Amino acid sequence: MYMWPKEIQQIIAEVLHAKNPIFCLEKFKNYEPAKKITFLLFDGNQTTNFRHIIHDYSLSKYSIVNLGNYANTAIITTSMLLDKKNISAIKTAYSVNIDSNIASMLPRILKSKPIDPDFFNFLIYIKENDLDLNISPYLLEDSLNSSGMKNEARAYECLLSFFSFSNLSLQQLYSLPCSPDIIAYNHADDAWSQMKYSRFYEKNDEKRVRSIYCFLLKVYIIEFCSKKSPRNKLIELVDFINTTLGIYLESGLLLAYWYFEKSYNCVSDFFQKIQPGAKDKLKKIEGMAWDLFHLWDIPTEMSVQSHKYNTIILQAFATHDDALAQIAKLNPIIRIAFYEQEVQIKYKLSLSNFLHNDPIIDSIIDNQEQRECLCDTVNLIELSNQLEHEFLNTIK
């Protein structure tokens, strides 16, 4: 988004925050570059045909979470406004990204051992509703995180079971275990090659998750070593973002504020995974960074996939982490703008909803250019190493 033309940034900002987004976009319908922008609105009063393709599931910590009220989805572009009488049909699709904790359970379908009933019911629901699953979160996480792919046989088995399950009928699901066919092996081999390539050649270039990891380390450093008020803790965190990290994580700041304030049980449960006496603390924080990345990256994937297939693709998230699922529901997306396969998002809540006319908000706005410069130069590997050292010394 930093690289978008200023005019595009302005149009998107105005429409995302407008009381009447359609009327707002009307002002720009004759501006040629605006044709490349697609807006998805989830906050209207109408229920649209999208309600027929979406799903919401929750049983015994197994969840399928939509990141907004997809049943209300409305699409607007300047092309639609220019020729309202000749609007062609829009292709739509719905897919479910599965978390690594779900992917790691799938090999059970290849075994003769009984499957946990709640997990089996989750699999039945997927087949009964013919849901399209996406294993990309697992592919990214296990190939790029610091401890991934250590058990290569186990990692390959996860891939093989996923592609076997993808081709499984509901009747076959009731006749487990299943035997992978040649198609499943071919797909698993291709995905495995992709993971190995990422592991060897792209691991040190990954910046998005590492920035969240640095952010979480700083959150814990502030929480464990400071007796300041929640607001003053937030001031320290914002200063770190403005002067050191250089990456503005809007949802992350709100999440940290709720953690400092102890506002919501699900947020506390999510952060309670790390305690001073806990084992493998850095590994767990890295896992939390990946969890948040999967949630926050879904809109970008929606934009990329929608552009690639010329289809509006809504994506949900399936997880066995109840705290993460509740966090996703806590602050839903209400509007999205797609442009050049990137995305800008408006969530229902932001810090400004809780800190009215607060200098903290001014600090975030005033330091945007400074953050953008930092974003281009910050060495996240060095920064994460420094923060790890500080974090481990803090909680001795």
Side-chain angles (χ1 to χ4, degrees), residues 25-43:
L25 188 59
E26 284 270 5
K27 297 185 299 182
F28 307 103
K29 66 181 180 181
N30 294 310
Y31 180 58
E32 186 68 22
K35 290 183 178 180
K36 295 182 179 180
I37 309 172
T38 299
F39 291 96
L40 303 186
L41 312 177
F42 307 133
D43 58 339

Side-chain angles (χ1 to χ4, degrees), residues 109-120:
I109 69 171
L110 307 177
K111 316 289 185 181
S112 297
K113 298 179 181 179
I115 295 180
D116 173 71
D118 291 331
F119 181 57
F120 189 64

